[in-house]
Amino acid sequence: MFTYTEALAKRLFRSILPVKARRWVSAHLPYGRDYTPPLGYVRFGDLRRIEPIDGNFGFGRGRPIDRYYIENFLERHSADVKGRVLEVGDDTYTRRFGKEKVTASDVLHVSEGNPRATLVGDLAIADHLPSDAFDCIILTQTLHLIYDVRAAIRTLHRILKPGGVLLATFPGISQIDRHDWKNCWYWSFTTFSAERLFSELFHPSDLQIETYGNVLAATAFLYGLADVELEQDELDALDPHYQVVITARAVK
């Protein structure tokens, strides 16, 4: 039976031990990760606040937690980033994961003014984009900003070459942007909505939908913590009930 003395001991460990020692204690002592505190003994600590620690997804503290998942997904599928590649916003991931496999790089932006853009347009109304043109499309954290998601997916399918690969990511549990995209953050997704949307055009055997996150990662991401503030095993634990990032690999 958990006692008040144990509760005080736990608070003492947290107050005097360095971070690495506290993490060891959390992982190994009886009131560690698997411990469920009785009613009234939950200690929120620095998280007892109604404002996030970082209101910009964690960029102010390092790499946001969703980017950990996004970049791991792209790393696992880096072999797909080759030939003529289209990326939205800039070509950072094209260069990072495609390297010498990329023969031509295009950047799509929704409006004029982006010096990196080679193509301008809204994916929902993009008849001017060439059909059967791209070997790979990298679409990270974009679909939720497009109201007519079905039209956007139709465009993505049309502009892929036969055999081309779409690598897409979109938010599940997330902050909503406070800056450039705050007025067009229309959607959050689940694996179920993603599967239904993409399977309208991509054959199920050519479609792989995955989810990343768990309750701790989701909580940390909502507060705007960086990925380095969690242990790798805490980030890598997957719980489909807490979907921080959803990914899609779709082949035309």
Side-chain angles (χ1 to χ4, degrees), residues 71-80 97 208 210 212 247:
E71 292 172 12
N72 281 358
F73 164 72
L74 294 175
E75 178 69 41
R76 287 197 296 111
H77 296 292
S78 60
D80 295 323
F97 296 107
Q208 182 180 2
E210 296 179 318
Y212 300 85
T247 64

Side-chain angles (χ1 to χ4, degrees), residues 49-237:
R49 52 194 293 148
I50 59 172
E51 292 291 329
I53 292 172
D54 185 295
N56 189 29
F57 304 98
F59 278 108
R61 301 174 70 82
R63 181 170 63 167
I65 286 168
D66 67 336
R67 289 287 153 180
Y68 172 84
Y69 296 129
I70 291 163
E71 292 172 12
N72 281 358
F73 164 72
L74 294 175
E75 178 69 41
R76 287 197 296 111
H77 296 292
S78 60
D80 295 323
V81 185
K82 61 185 179 182
R84 186 180 181 185
V85 180
L86 175 68
E87 186 172 348
V88 172
D90 60 44
D91 63 350
T92 299
Y93 289 148
T94 300
R95 290 183 286 106
R96 176 174 170 182
F97 296 107
K99 299 179 181 177
E100 69 280 353
K101 303 191 306 296
V102 175
T103 58
S105 174
D106 283 287
V107 172
L108 175 68
H109 198 265
V110 69
S111 58
E112 299 282 355
N114 183 342
R116 295 189 178 185
T118 60
L119 297 166
V120 176
D122 183 337
L123 283 170
I125 45 173
D127 292 342
H128 62 291
L129 295 182
S131 298
D132 302 321
F134 300 100
D135 297 288
C136 180
I137 299 173
I138 299 175
L139 188 77
T140 56
Q141 308 303 88
T142 301
L143 278 180
H144 64 292
L145 306 175
I146 302 172
Y147 185 77
D148 194 345
V149 176
R150 280 192 170 93
I153 295 174
R154 285 196 297 271
T155 297
L156 293 166
H157 184 270
R158 177 180 61 80
I159 66 179
L160 273 175
K161 290 180 181 179
V165 180
L166 168 65
L167 300 175
T169 73
F170 21 89
I173 300 169
S174 177
Q175 296 183 16
I176 293 176
D177 187 62
R178 299 171 181 230
H179 305 291
D180 294 345
W181 309 110
K182 64 182 179 181
N183 294 323
C184 59
W185 190 294
Y186 296 113
W187 312 108
S188 288
F189 293 87
T190 66
T191 52
F192 305 111
S193 58
E195 285 171 356
R196 290 197 63 174
L197 285 166
F198 281 90
S199 63
E200 292 176 357
L201 289 168
F202 294 91
H203 192 276
S205 63
D206 297 324
L207 179 61
Q208 182 180 2
I209 304 291
E210 296 179 318
T211 180
Y212 300 85
N214 57 71
V215 67
L216 177 60
T219 301
F221 183 47
L222 290 176
Y223 274 96
L225 302 185
D227 64 341
V228 295
E229 297 180 89
L230 296 185
E231 301 288 350
Q232 186 172 343
D233 66 318
E234 293 171 336
L235 289 164
D236 291 343

